[in-house]
Amino acid sequence: MEIFLLFGTFFLLLFIGVPIVFCLGIASLTYLSMAGISFTIVPQRLYAGMDSFVLLCIPGFILAGNLMNSGKITDYIIRFSNALLGHIRGGLGLANVGGSMIFGGISGTAVADTASIGAVMIPGMARSGYDKSFAAAVTAASSTIGPIIPPSVPMIIAGSLSGISVGKMFLAGVVPGFLLGLGMMVTAYVISVKRQYPREKRATLKEIFIVGRGAIWALLMTFIILYGIIGGLFTPTEASIVASLYAFAVGMFVYKGITWSNLPKLLLDTVLSSASLLLLVGMANLFGWILTSEKIPQMLAEAIFAVSENPFIVILVVNIVLLIVGGFMETIAALIILFPTLLKVAEGIGMDPVQFGVMAVLNLIIGLTTPPVGVCLFVASGISGLSMTAIVRAIWPFLICNILVLLLVSYIPAISLWLPSLLG
Amino acid sequence: MAGSQTEKYPGSHVGRVGYYIQMLVKLLDGIFAVLAVSALLAIAVVVIIQIVSRFLLPTSPIWTEELSRYLFIYLIVMSSGLIVRKNLHVRLELFQSALSPFWGKVYDIFCHLMVGGFALYILPYSIKYAQIGRWQTSPALEVPMYWSFLSVCFFFALTAFYSFVCIVLLFLERDDQGVLR
């Protein structure tokens, strides 16, 4: 009974549009009062959820991304990507995907990616003769590569929830990230050939070198982060601060986008977006505690195993659950609530937690580009001025590509586990 | 309602009071922004000390990890009021854009009431929780855990305070959502 009240209150408030943090808090409160548990558990679990050295790297990575993005980095990334891929048919579409992949290496969230690349690419592609809906769709879809390629906020949280090192989670995302990029480029190419989209002039080696010199700073940051963590030089938190210092130096002296006057706003933006994310983590920790004490993970595992004990079917069911939840819920909240619960199921069929982590994040980020609550769709629709429906109609080929990669990750462990296993 | 009076009598007492309230809130916004950003910068400094001492000194200090964690929690709670003020909490937005200005306001006030009421209700419990920390000291810095547990009280207090401030500003039609925008 109490548990129905918990979920009932949560979904009611969620659909009314109360901030998700407080949907979790108020729903937990109704449960606690029914179950007769002292309310001091609320501050206690909230504190425990936020008090973590691993999560401390989140503001660092957000800061590094914001500092990097304050200059002309997006321009350079797009021009570099365009110099490499532009001469193929539908070149700007392919460059959009390539740009998202590089951009994913400096930012940890998909929305930042849609907003930065979309602002340049959607109008640019429309001017060059691409359908606006295609431009918006390819931007929104490819930005979901960002949270798969390290650094990635969802991967950090998945790691902290399961006790897996953040470095391992980061590495596990590299191959799936590249597969996603490749798949989307192929999709964009096929559509472009069919619709006879233009191609750009082939860039000379010299031109590639010139724009590459501008973009190299972004690639170098990804390298510093990965090498620092995996090489054992830094903890993820230290890596995030080193990356921020690096991004500050690059933004100040190379791109010259950071000034003493825009720095305070940039810092405040970083602080506020990290804090709202981490409050969600804290409150979801309370909600998750209630689920665990009510033995929901075991019950869900039993329910799924009652359907079938065949690993193939179990993975399919888990994917469907995650996809549906990802369509409605914010990625981080969904991850914290569902991840520990479904991890039990995954371990029951002998799935590696690292592989499961990548699979869960992939599922939830697909929800960023699907209705009803696709944040990247909202952003792309805002930039392009197109309706959500128009973009959704154009985005489905890319969704199929997303789902294919998801299936590969779900059923072939090596795709996520090969790289982490190479480096211990 | 205060809001409609402001429209009818610009420059009236209500208008002036509204103006002063708005200025006061802006001042508070600024203070909390400075506190939160300082926490971020302090974390960076502490982490840099940690890295430098590990590579350059024979022993690295044991307090850095703990201090950065506490700063991190204060970063979060000091931002919590501004997050309410600037409407930065993530929420499901299914119908909000279709609301008329009047119903939009009703919706905003309803949400602020829910959030503020919840935070106010939990506040005494979090104070009780912080008291538990009086009997514990942190392992490395040896400060009473009270100070770090107290952070949760700040979160609920600021969330409640800013929710009600937002309601007042909505009534006064002065909800401009933010200092730096």
Side-chain angles (χ1 to χ4, degrees), chain A residues 216-260:
Chain A
I216 193 80
W217 300 100
L219 291 168
L220 208 57
M221 183 164 121
T222 317
F223 176 78
I224 293 175
I225 293 169
L226 275 183
Y227 181 77
I229 298 176
I230 295 148
L233 287 176
F234 309 127
T235 63
T237 302
E238 292 169 359
S240 74
I241 297 295
V242 171
S244 299
L245 281 182
Y246 168 83
F248 177 73
V250 171
M252 196 84 180
F253 303 112
V254 182
Y255 296 129
K256 301 191 170 76
I258 300 172
T259 56
W260 293 111

Side-chain angles (χ1 to χ4, degrees), chain A residues 46 66 89 167-168 177 192 196 204 218 233 289 296 399 412 422:
Chain A
L46 181 70
N66 281 350
R89 180 151 312 275
K168 238 184 191 164
S192 301
Q196 284 299 304
T204 61
L233 287 176
W289 177 84
I296 299 294
L399 278 180
I412 308 173
L422 269 190

Side-chain angles (χ1 to χ4, degrees), chain A residues 187-204:
Chain A
T187 314
Y189 176 74
V190 172
I191 296 173
S192 301
V193 169
K194 233 167 87 186
R195 298 191 190 166
Q196 284 299 304
Y197 285 145
R199 60 175 86 191
E200 311 289 307
K201 196 164 73 45
R202 185 185 283 275
T204 61

Side-chain angles (χ1 to χ4, degrees), chain A residues 103-283:
Chain A
F103 202 85
I106 56 171
S107 87
T109 57
V111 182
D113 194 340
T114 313
S116 314
I117 294 199
V120 182
M121 276 308 238
I122 296 177
M125 286 173 74
R127 267 198 307 274
S128 301
Y130 291 78
D131 292 308
K132 216 175 196 181
S133 59
F134 174 78
V138 78
T139 306
S142 68
S143 65
T144 60
I145 306 171
I148 304 296
I149 287 183
S152 149
V153 171
M155 293 284 193
I156 295 167
I157 290 175
S160 83
L161 288 171
S162 51
I164 303 162
S165 80
V166 171
K168 238 184 191 164
M169 286 305 302
F170 276 3
L171 273 184
V174 173
V175 177
F178 271 91
L179 279 178
L180 268 180
L182 202 69
M184 289 191 187
M185 282 187 194
V186 172
T187 314
Y189 176 74
V190 172
I191 296 173
S192 301
V193 169
K194 233 167 87 186
R195 298 191 190 166
Q196 284 299 304
Y197 285 145
R199 60 175 86 191
E200 311 289 307
K201 196 164 73 45
R202 185 185 283 275
T204 61
L205 270 179
K206 195 176 157 212
E207 284 165 348
I208 294 178
F209 178 75
I210 291 171
V211 288
R213 230 176 19 187
I216 193 80
W217 300 100
L219 291 168
L220 208 57
M221 183 164 121
T222 317
F223 176 78
I224 293 175
I225 293 169
L226 275 183
Y227 181 77
I229 298 176
I230 295 148
L233 287 176
F234 309 127
T235 63
T237 302
E238 292 169 359
S240 74
I241 297 295
V242 171
S244 299
L245 281 182
Y246 168 83
F248 177 73
V250 171
M252 196 84 180
F253 303 112
V254 182
Y255 296 129
K256 301 191 170 76
I258 300 172
T259 56
W260 293 111
S261 58
N262 68 9
L263 194 61
K265 181 173 186 314
L266 200 149
L267 288 171
L268 186 62
D269 279 350
T270 305
V271 166
L272 295 184
S273 52
S274 324
S276 71
L277 206 71
L278 285 148
L279 286 171
L280 200 57
V281 172
M283 208 61 99

Side-chain angles (χ1 to χ4, degrees), chain A residues 17 20 47 51 233 238 373, chain B residues 50 54 69 79 90 92 107 148:
Chain A
I20 299 179
Y47 180 86
D51 180 29
L233 287 176
E238 292 169 359
V373 195
Chain B
Q50 184 175 314
R54 194 175 57 239
R69 244 174 39 221
S79 313
V90 186
L92 195 59
Y107 160 80
S148 115

